Amino acid sequence: MPADLRGRATGWLREHWPFPAERWRSPLRGPWLTSVFGLVLLVALPVVVITGLLSYIAYGPQFGQAIPGDVGWLRLPLFDWPTQPSWLYRLTQGLHVGLGLVLVPVVLAKLWSVLPRLFSWPPVRSAVHLLERLSVLLLVGSILFEIVTGLLNIQYDYVFGFSFYTAHYWGAWVFIAAFACHIVIKLPTMAKVLRSRSLRAELRTSRADTRPEPADDGLVAVEPAPATLSRRGALGVVTGGSVLVGLLTAGQTIDWLRPLALLLPRGLDPGDGPNGFPVNRTATAAGITDADTGPGWTLLLSGGPTPLTLDRDRLAAMPQHTATLPIACVEGWSTTQDWTGIRLRDLATLAGVANPTSAHVRSLERDGGFNSATLQGNQVTHPDALLALRVNGADLSPDHGYPARVIVPALPGVHNTKWVRSIEFRR
């Protein structure tokens, strides 16, 4: 492009640029406040990432039942998911979802604090600046994508029309790469800026005494308006927002906070009685009919010398074991109940496979991505791993898996198969 034409085009764009520096007038914006939000995210976001990746491993990718199945060179180092402590998956997934939600106000505040730089002129100053902006674009885009799709998944609202699991996994890796690049680029600056001002002094500064930070290359307002909020107030608003989100989320796990769990999509009142706790998929939604679970229902055990067929009366006559176990789902909700049934290892022995390396459980559910699950050897042989017939002293309700369901310590909820039709024990 000729130089004069390029100059005219640049001048026109500069004149019509919709986000001139003079537009950003908050006296609170500046490197220090941005770095405070950044430090919180630097500490907390790795926890969200690691617990999310652990959830993928807990689904058992070695059995082809994690989603996505083929992740190429992004395959994680695999290991047998532990069965102890029994609340392990409840902890990791609760942290992933709960902490992820609590950080939403911090993420939004961080984005607000850097808006002037995101829309600064000229958009690109050099090759290094271009790389930095691309990393920021991927960072902002991926974290917003993960937040929005995660929230929609919690609400069971799949308006995006693609696999949440697959998109969330790949989106996480885009975020991880962009986050790592951003840390490398910004960490030295952040450390220097945080040392430049005293947090204690800022927390003692009133609105009337709030002044803009020293001028920098884009965050500090060039024409600041009078402060309507102190930095102490801004930090308080963000902290309060996070606490509020935490209270609205904690009821997914803490029963006495359930009335406040507005983000809980399975209803604030799951009903009374022994079966009065949440479910993800009801019997009706799964297509389970009374004919499927009536007197004609039988359980097929295979893998040994001869397949066995047991009806519910035969199962109920076998030695029963009761275990208090949590059940936790990928959406972050969890509950702990008293389950009673036959130990899976006793069923394996009955089937003629005393030391199974795994077991494949199939449901009566004909469709659905989780109508079967493969359990690791340690999950089959754990003394509290059950084919449960009862919960809290009563028969399982149809929605909770009647006539029989699997319950295993620390196993993702969706793999505690309901309406069990068969179990194949493998050597």
Side-chain angles (χ1 to χ4, degrees):
M1 179 183 296
D4 59 335
L5 182 57
R6 185 169 61 248
R8 288 199 297 272
T10 301
W12 186 90
L13 287 172
R14 184 191 301 278
E15 183 180 350
H16 293 82
W17 185 242
F19 306 103
E22 296 77 12
R23 179 170 182 169
W24 313 103
R25 302 194 62 196
S26 172
L28 301 184
R29 285 196 180 94
W32 184 83
L33 188 62
T34 295
S35 296
V36 171
F37 294 138
L39 179 61
V40 174
L41 296 177
L42 177 62
V43 172
L45 282 177
V47 177
V48 178
V49 170
I50 291 171
T51 50
L53 296 178
L54 287 175
S55 179
Y56 182 82
I57 293 175
Y59 266 63
Q62 67 271 36
F63 300 121
Q65 55 192 13
I67 305 173
D70 183 8
V71 295
W73 55 274
L74 286 179
R75 187 172 58 184
L76 296 169
L78 301 181
F79 54 87
D80 281 352
W81 183 250
T83 52
Q84 292 290 355
S86 62
W87 40 263
L88 178 62
Y89 189 73
R90 183 183 209 187
L91 173 67
T92 58
Q93 193 59 19
L95 272 176
H96 180 68
V97 175
L99 186 56
L101 291 174
V102 164
L103 289 177
V104 169
V106 185
V107 170
L108 296 180
K110 175 76 159 51
L111 289 177
W112 170 85
S113 74
V114 299
L115 279 177
R117 188 166 288 168
L118 296 180
F119 295 99
S120 64
W121 178 270
V124 177
R125 301 170 188 166
S126 64
V128 173
H129 188 226
L130 175 62
L131 289 175
E132 178 188 348
R133 293 186 71 84
L134 286 175
S135 71
V136 171
L137 177 65
L138 291 175
L139 181 69
V140 173
S142 60
I143 196 169
L144 292 179
F145 178 83
E146 294 294 274
I147 288 174
V148 172
T149 55
L151 282 169
L152 290 172
N153 178 62
I154 292 172
Q155 300 304 315
Y156 263 13
D157 192 353
Y158 301 107
V159 293
F160 36 77
F162 47 75
S163 167
F164 163 75
Y165 290 89
T166 300
H168 206 64
Y169 186 85
W170 292 113
W173 280 108
V174 172
F175 170 75
I176 291 170
F179 189 56
C181 290
H182 197 67
I183 290 174
V184 170
I185 295 171
K186 293 297 184 181
L187 187 59
T189 301
M190 186 181 78
K192 179 181 177 182
V193 169
L194 287 174
R195 288 195 298 266
S196 69
R197 301 172 81 89
S198 165
L199 175 62
R200 181 175 298 179
E202 290 294 337
L203 294 179
R204 291 174 177 171
T205 302
S206 66
R207 177 181 62 82
D209 293 329
T210 297
R211 301 288 184 271
E213 295 183 43
D216 72 337
D217 62 348
L219 290 183
V220 179
V222 295
E223 296 179 4
T228 56
L229 192 67
S230 66
R231 291 188 182 83
R232 175 180 62 191
L235 293 174
V237 168
V238 175
T239 303
S242 292
V243 171
L244 177 61
V245 172
L247 287 174
L248 298 180
T249 304
Q252 295 222 53
T253 299
I254 303 172
D255 287 341
W256 61 272
L257 284 176
R258 191 172 298 279
L260 297 177
L262 299 183
L263 296 176
L264 183 65
R266 281 122 199 110
L268 298 178
D269 183 9
D272 298 324
N275 282 274
F277 55 94
V279 295
N280 262 11
R281 191 165 171 84
T282 66
T284 300
I288 303 298
T289 66
D290 291 342
D292 294 324
T293 60
W297 173 84
T298 55
L299 171 70
L300 174 64
L301 301 180
S302 62
T306 305
L308 296 176
T309 300
L310 308 173
D311 61 21
R312 199 169 188 281
D313 289 341
R314 174 81 182 277
L315 290 169
M318 293 179 64
Q320 305 289 302
H321 177 72
T322 296
T324 301
L325 295 175
I327 184 169
C329 286
V330 69
E331 297 84 5
W333 71 266
S334 62
T335 183
T336 299
Q337 308 296 332
D338 295 330
W339 309 89
T340 300
I342 307 99
R343 286 182 166 124
L344 290 178
R345 68 185 188 186
D346 292 345
L347 291 174
T349 301
L350 183 64
V353 187
N355 296 296
T357 59
S358 65
H360 186 66
V361 184
R362 293 200 63 85
S363 171
L364 292 167
E365 187 179 359
R366 297 164 184 81
D367 301 314
F370 300 106
N371 61 1
S372 66
T374 299
L375 307 178
Q376 303 163 176
N378 62 327
Q379 293 169 336
V380 180
T381 58
H382 191 283
D384 285 341
L386 305 177
L387 179 73
L389 306 180
R390 298 167 65 83
V391 62
N392 300 322
D395 283 347
L396 294 168
S397 71
D399 288 344
H400 286 298
Y402 181 87
R405 69 168 300 162
V406 164
I407 183 75
V408 172
L411 186 67
V414 74
H415 284 166
N416 288 291
T417 306
K418 297 192 287 188
W419 314 294
V420 174
R421 182 183 71 189
S422 64
I423 304 176
E424 177 191 0
F425 296 101
R426 295 168 176 170
R427 303 174 188 272

